[in-house]
Amino acid sequence: MSPRFVKSKHFFEEGTIESLAEVSERKGKVWDAGAKLDVVGKSVKRIDGYDKVSGTARYTFDINLPNMAHARILRCPHAHAKIKRIDFSKALKLKGVLAVHTHSNTKRIPWFWNISSLYDTHLRYEGDEVAAVLAESERIALQALKLIEVDYEELPFVIDPGDAMIEGAPKLYDDGNVMRGKPDIYERGDIERGFSEADYIVEDSFSTQVEIHHPTEVHCSVVNWDGDHLTVYDSTQGIFSVREQVARSLDIPESRVRVIKKYMGGGFGSKLTTGKYTVIAALLARDTGRPVRIALDRKEMHMAVGNRPDSFQTLKVGAKKDGTLTALSHYSRGSAGAYPSGAGCSWPMRSVYKCDNVKTTDYTVFVNAGPGRPFRAPGHVQGTFGMDSIIDMIAEKAGMDPLDFRLKNYAEIDQVANQPYTSKKLREAYEAGAEAIGWKENRQKVAGSMPGSIKRGLGVATQIWWGGGGPPAYATLKLNRDGSVRVLAGSQDLGTGTYTFIAQIVAEVLELSLEKISVTIGDTATCPYCGSSGGSTTAPSVAPAVKDAAEQMKEKLISAAAAHMELSESGVRYSKGKIIDTEDDSNSIDIATLVRKMRERVLVTTGRRSQNPENYSINSFGAQFADVEVDIETGQVKILKIVAAHDIGRTLNKQMMESQFYGGIIQGVGFALLEERVIDPFTGKIANLNMHDYKIPTMMDTPNMEIIIVSKSDPMISNVGAKGIGEPPMIPTAAAIANAVYNAIGVRIKSLPITPDKILNALYA
Ligand code: MOS
């Protein structure tokens, strides 16, 4: 995590060089906790809401260009194989087929950090790309795939990371199956001394499953060459990172690649990196001169575009009689799948609770299965389940209430960086959440006490995440001479509400109605740079840049109006799109007239995200409480309620914030109780390759949810004071549910998902 980049003292952008001090001075206009805001924070309706509910919003999947052809991919049916021979002559002869690409007729393009290639002959999982067909229709392309003859040499395979680490296991790479050849080790203090000082020690193992992202909109690209310029419509979380990867793969300048993404139906991390399918489509398009659409189907989504790595964790904790933690040790191994992707999950153990002696060891292991990808709080969801399970176990051993135990070991400062936080309101979150769930009154009362087969219990778990955002992120604001505004930012909306919060911020600063503000994002050719939407960084990075642009515009307008009115700048004030003489309210000019009087057509400002403060850590925090019922006859778990109390800095839009929480908690319920990719160990093939057998929560599984925000703003981060909330809502949900299940039935389920069979087996063991 340590930044190794060169820190510039300046912002460079579009020919301007501006010192940090200049930006920081503007940052002086900070919305602190007491700021009275009219638009920001309110449940403003999404500005793109009508387009979406009326069906007029065009997602990448909906884009249909004239003369467009359709591509589909042939995928390896085996867990591990080599291509001995491939013959696509029959496929090429099928009427309507335009091209077939495979390793034999395509230039080698490095992929996965050059340990593989776009079309590799060594196939490492069921779903690995073998060839692609371009045809007049998707149906013809699918028919043609069946006509491609491939002789595979099947190889021995390994699915379980534990098996893959054993000497003599089938190897995916010559260097062996452990990524980078060694574990990621973190240590502070003296772990042995920590355990020797403990009065209680608890050690246990936990496991979590592979989870598939399954966003609503499938992965999809539409590509079009115009001479040597390529336009890529892509369902992506990072338009600029796709531009970079596509340009590199095709060996053309980034300036000749334009990536556009207007709307997206979710990504959850699976759309953070460029997919092979995008480059495959670009090559087919270049070869045939046709616009090309490629959309993956649900099976491909399941196999080949990422997953949350599984985990096997052994945790050991020591505590004194009074509950003070003396040592924390965490071992994990998790699967990267067949290609590099981090599977470590020890960050919660390193950072949540106060402890001087900590050691964590994370192995990321290659296996013959679909590659992992970041998935909504990568590592933290798995790691929090292990950590907060064992914390409950040692609290019980020490005879303490789980919440009291957590408060006893509250970390006032960042345990890893050994420095203060810009803000931390976790204590307030514990207290507010406990109050809302009725922790003190109900926990002892309900625990397993109900007569009959239904047992009820309460559980708690803790959330930590980064999500402070940071530079570089820019926003350009254009004020037209009718007084309307267009904002441009190279960010992207995953469905989370980026369009709307950008408009809200401009409306707030310039005191304009939302109808006057239009927002353009998701276009690398027209928008200034913003980073990928990952790590819960979008709002905390982009919102401050937008505010900066709007504040600069307001300053320009005040200055110009004062000159025009022959008053000093302090002799005028800005209100609702007008500049007014402070001594005579009737003497004023509105901004539209002002722009005309300035003989300007459009006024332009560019705002920047300021640097984060040095020597402070920026994290978000939260506590979730679960109230569950377990039927000990059927093993069914019913979640009555989840209370989520979080510190997120400033809320930009209450309704959209709550929606993020609902989505995260529901995804957490899926992880806790339902979702699991199952691979048959004998064939290496996925056994539940459909949405019927892979269970995603439905309305029927959605619990009652109460969202409590304990923070108002974190003014040290930025002029806006917002922390990201994409990932935090999901982090503690499964752990809180698991602890509640234990409270209900007195038996701990140490393996997710908590399915009825596991509960019944544990009860009768
Ligand atoms: Mo996220 S897993 O950074 O999209």
Side-chain angles (χ1 to χ4, degrees):
M1 297 313 293
S2 63
R4 275 178 294 143
F5 53 83
V6 179
K7 262 198 183 170
S8 167
K9 282 191 291 195
H10 298 91
F11 285 92
F12 297 79
E13 201 249 341
E14 294 182 348
T16 68
I17 301 180
E18 193 176 23
S19 77
L20 268 176
E22 288 173 280
V23 180
S24 304
E25 198 178 314
R26 284 207 304 280
K27 197 200 147 200
K29 292 186 181 169
V30 170
W31 287 330
D32 59 21
K36 294 264 177 294
L37 304 180
D38 295 325
V39 189
V40 168
K42 301 284 151 40
S43 291
V44 168
K45 283 197 191 111
R46 286 173 189 251
I47 61 172
D48 50 347
Y50 180 81
D51 279 358
K52 285 183 176 172
V53 296
S54 64
T56 53
R58 281 214 307 175
Y59 290 75
T60 306
F61 192 86
D62 302 319
I63 287 167
N64 194 352
L65 301 178
N67 205 28
M68 188 171 79
H70 299 262
R72 291 298 302 241
I73 292 169
L74 181 69
R75 294 181 182 277
C76 179
H78 307 295
H80 200 188
K82 281 195 168 147
I83 300 175
K84 286 201 298 194
R85 185 189 69 96
I86 184 163
D87 179 356
F88 52 83
S89 54
K90 284 195 188 119
L92 263 184
K93 280 184 201 130
L94 184 71
K95 190 165 178 290
V97 170
L98 300 163
V100 180
H101 281 180
T102 183
H103 67 92
S104 62
N105 61 350
T106 316
K107 192 180 139 222
R108 184 184 184 277
I109 292 177
W111 211 267
F112 296 117
W113 295 274
N114 204 14
I115 64 171
S116 177
S117 54
L118 189 68
Y119 294 111
D120 201 340
T121 53
H122 183 175
L123 307 164
R124 298 176 179 88
Y125 74 98
E126 183 203 17
D128 226 345
E129 288 81 354
V130 173
V133 171
L134 186 70
E136 294 292 349
S137 74
E138 219 177 342
R139 199 172 55 85
I140 297 171
L142 283 170
Q143 276 182 310
L145 292 185
K146 292 184 189 147
L147 299 175
I148 300 175
E149 293 168 10
V150 190
D151 288 347
Y152 295 102
E153 176 195 349
E154 286 188 57
L155 302 171
F157 60 84
V158 61
I159 298 301
D160 177 77
D163 296 343
M165 286 171 74
I166 293 168
E167 185 81 24
K171 277 188 188 174
L172 279 83
Y173 301 95
D174 293 341
D175 294 344
N177 294 333
V178 171
M179 203 168 98
R180 290 190 208 97
K182 57 179 174 35
D184 174 18
I185 293 176
Y186 165 81
E187 245 179 312
R188 68 171 180 261
D190 181 341
I191 190 79
E192 295 311 326
R193 204 188 63 215
F195 281 117
S196 72
E197 288 169 358
D199 295 313
Y200 310 111
I201 292 176
V202 177
E203 181 172 7
D204 220 320
S205 295
F206 303 85
S207 67
T208 64
Q209 74 279 32
V210 169
E211 183 187 25
I212 311 283
H213 302 77
H214 278 307
T216 313
E217 184 193 27
V218 296
H219 288 229
C220 179
S221 300
V222 176
V223 302
N224 188 26
W225 288 91
D226 181 1
D228 53 9
H229 284 70
L230 174 67
T231 301
V232 178
Y233 301 87
D234 194 25
S235 182
T236 177
Q237 294 174 235
I239 53 170
F240 283 96
S241 73
V242 169
R243 182 178 73 160
E244 189 182 337
Q245 170 88 46
V246 167
R248 197 187 317 133
S249 295
L250 301 176
D251 197 19
I252 57 175
E254 286 183 30
S255 55
R256 291 204 191 140
V257 180
R258 177 182 188 182
V259 180
I260 300 175
K261 199 289 291 288
K262 189 161 186 195
Y263 294 118
M264 187 161 101
F268 309 121
S270 69
K271 295 173 182 172
L272 260 177
T273 41
T274 308
K276 278 189 178 182
Y277 55 91
T278 308
V279 173
I280 286 171
L283 291 170
L284 287 165
R286 188 161 71 181
D287 207 14
T288 57
R290 299 280 295 268
V292 170
R293 175 183 189 271
I294 187 159
L296 304 195
D297 64 22
R298 279 288 157 196
K299 283 193 170 141
E300 293 176 290
M301 297 290 290
H302 207 102
M303 286 192 288
V305 294
N307 54 65
R308 180 189 298 283
D310 56 13
S311 75
F312 174 83
Q313 309 169 42
T314 298
L315 295 89
K316 187 175 167 188
V317 296
K320 289 200 183 284
K321 282 212 168 68
D322 69 351
T324 307
L325 286 167
T326 60
L328 300 172
S329 144
H330 184 279
Y331 161 95
S332 88
R333 58 172 185 260
S335 60
Y339 297 102
S341 179
C345 62
S346 62
W347 265 99
M349 197 69 159
R350 299 180 197 180
S351 57
V352 170
Y353 300 111
K354 180 175 170 10
C355 186
D356 293 336
N357 308 302
V358 179
K359 182 171 183 187
T360 67
T361 307
D362 291 302
Y363 284 90
T364 296
V365 186
F366 292 118
V367 297
N368 294 106
R373 285 258 176 107
F375 187 154
R376 206 168 192 168
H380 275 52
V381 174
Q382 305 94 290
T384 300
F385 166 65
M387 172 190 73
D388 267 341
S389 294
I390 202 132
I391 288 291
D392 261 33
M393 292 167 77
I394 194 148
E396 184 177 345
K397 202 155 189 182
M400 285 174 74
D401 173 90
L403 184 57
D404 293 340
F405 188 90
R406 285 167 173 81
L407 286 164
K408 173 90 191 166
N409 293 288
Y410 192 85
E412 297 288 351
I413 65 164
D414 183 336
Q415 298 294 292
V416 178
N418 195 27
Q419 63 184 20
Y421 295 109
T422 54
S423 66
K424 176 171 181 174
K425 298 203 175 326
L426 178 58
R427 197 184 296 280
E428 290 86 336
Y430 282 134
E431 285 163 2
E435 171 87 27
I437 202 86
W439 184 264
K440 287 263 168 338
E441 321 79 270
N442 290 338
R443 187 174 148 88
Q444 292 310 324
K445 199 165 69 195
V446 305
S449 64
M450 293 162 75
S453 68
I454 309 285
K455 305 295 176 195
R456 192 166 157 208
L458 298 182
V460 63
T462 308
Q463 172 257 317
I464 191 168
W465 186 248
W466 296 283
Y474 303 96
T476 296
L477 198 146
K478 297 184 180 184
L479 175 65
N480 302 312
R481 62 178 191 168
D482 64 353
S484 67
V485 171
R486 180 167 292 278
V487 194
L488 298 136
S491 190
Q492 47 273 306
D493 193 341
L494 317 187
T496 44
T498 307
Y499 283 102
T500 306
F501 80 66
I502 288 176
Q504 281 178 274
I505 286 167
V506 175
E508 184 75 51
V509 175
L510 294 178
E511 303 174 41
L512 300 173
S513 69
L514 284 163
E515 290 70 44
K516 289 218 164 134
I517 300 156
S518 298
V519 178
T520 299
I521 55 177
D523 183 349
T524 61
T526 58
C527 300
Y529 180 84
C530 293
S532 297
S533 291
S536 306
T537 57
T538 306
S541 302
V542 177
V546 173
K547 179 168 188 287
D548 183 36
E551 295 283 7
Q552 288 184 59
M553 182 62 76
K554 194 155 129 184
E555 274 172 33
K556 273 195 187 189
L557 292 167
I558 289 171
S559 161
H564 175 73
M565 294 160 86
E566 299 186 342
L567 293 166
S568 72
E569 284 182 28
S570 57
V572 295
R573 67 189 170 87
Y574 185 99
S575 175
K576 298 191 165 62
K578 276 186 180 169
I579 296 95
I580 305 165
D581 184 344
T582 48
E583 288 180 0
D584 175 7
D585 270 9
S586 68
N587 183 22
S588 71
I589 185 166
D590 67 88
I591 58 173
T593 310
L594 181 64
V595 178
R596 257 181 255 130
K597 295 271 188 205
M598 289 167 77
R599 303 199 166 233
E600 290 278 2
R601 293 275 167 164
V602 184
L603 284 186
V604 181
T605 53
T606 293
R608 295 147 172 78
R609 169 61 159 88
S610 57
Q611 296 283 6
N612 287 317
E614 285 188 29
N615 306 320
Y616 283 89
S617 298
I618 306 177
N619 290 81
S620 66
F621 301 93
Q624 288 188 10
F625 295 79
D627 184 348
V628 309
E629 275 180 3
V630 184
D631 185 332
I632 56 166
E633 275 174 11
T634 64
Q636 286 285 348
V637 176
K638 184 177 175 196
I639 301 167
L640 301 176
K641 187 171 185 179
I642 301 281
V643 171
H646 291 251
D647 166 5
I648 62 168
R650 175 176 303 287
T651 298
L652 298 181
N653 182 312
K654 182 164 184 284
Q655 189 183 38
M656 297 189 322
M657 173 275 290
E658 286 172 351
S659 296
Q660 284 274 52
F661 272 88
Y662 297 148
I665 292 166
I666 293 167
Q667 213 159 25
V669 168
F671 190 66
L673 303 181
L674 299 165
E675 297 181 50
E676 179 173 23
R677 184 198 66 189
V678 179
I679 295 189
D680 176 353
F682 299 105
T683 61
K685 291 162 79 78
I686 301 174
N688 57 347
L689 191 56
N690 58 65
M691 301 292 277
H692 177 76
D693 296 321
Y694 184 90
K695 306 266 183 223
I696 284 179
T698 68
M699 294 294 278
M700 298 290 286
D701 306 299
T702 301
N704 183 6
M705 292 174 270
E706 182 175 345
I707 315 302
I708 301 167
I709 300 305
V710 297
S711 54
K712 293 211 153 54
S713 179
D714 183 341
M716 282 187 77
I717 308 178
S718 70
N719 53 7
V720 170
K723 301 177 189 177
I725 54 161
E727 287 154 309
M730 187 179 180
I731 292 172
T733 313
I737 291 169
N739 284 339
V741 167
Y742 174 76
N743 184 234
I745 62 173
V747 189
R748 188 165 287 280
I749 310 299
K750 296 167 190 164
S751 150
L752 295 184
I754 302 174
T755 47
D757 58 310
K758 288 181 189 166
I759 288 190
L760 295 177
N761 279 329
L763 279 171
Y764 297 111

